Amino acid sequence: MIPVWVFAIITIVSVFLALKLKKKWLFALPLLAVGSLLLVEIIKVPLPLWETIQFIFNLRG
């Protein structure tokens, strides 16, 4: 539940700052945060990286 709150806070703050400072790149901050969490979770898997990626894409069916 903590990551949900962290991502919610990151999203609210980045949208507020993007609108206030008129910086469009701040809208990408929540996506970068989710992407970095995804990368960290993939790296934490004890299999080699390529096997992990193949396993993730083979889950479709």
Side-chain angles (χ1 to χ4, degrees):
M1 190 68 181
I2 292 175
V4 173
W5 285 106
V6 171
F7 289 130
I9 291 170
I10 289 172
T11 302
I12 291 168
V13 169
S14 67
V15 168
F16 176 75
L17 288 175
L19 294 174
K20 183 174 172 108
L21 302 175
K22 296 183 176 149
K23 305 282 185 182
K24 293 179 184 176
W25 62 269
L26 286 172
F27 286 120
L29 223 98
L31 296 174
L32 291 173
V34 170
S36 63
L37 178 69
L38 180 67
L39 185 65
V40 167
E41 292 298 323
I42 289 174
I43 291 172
K44 285 174 35 179
V45 175
L47 292 172
L49 183 63
W50 184 247
E51 288 182 28
T52 304
I53 293 172
Q54 285 178 337
F55 175 73
I56 290 170
F57 285 110
N58 284 334
L59 288 177
R60 287 189 231 174

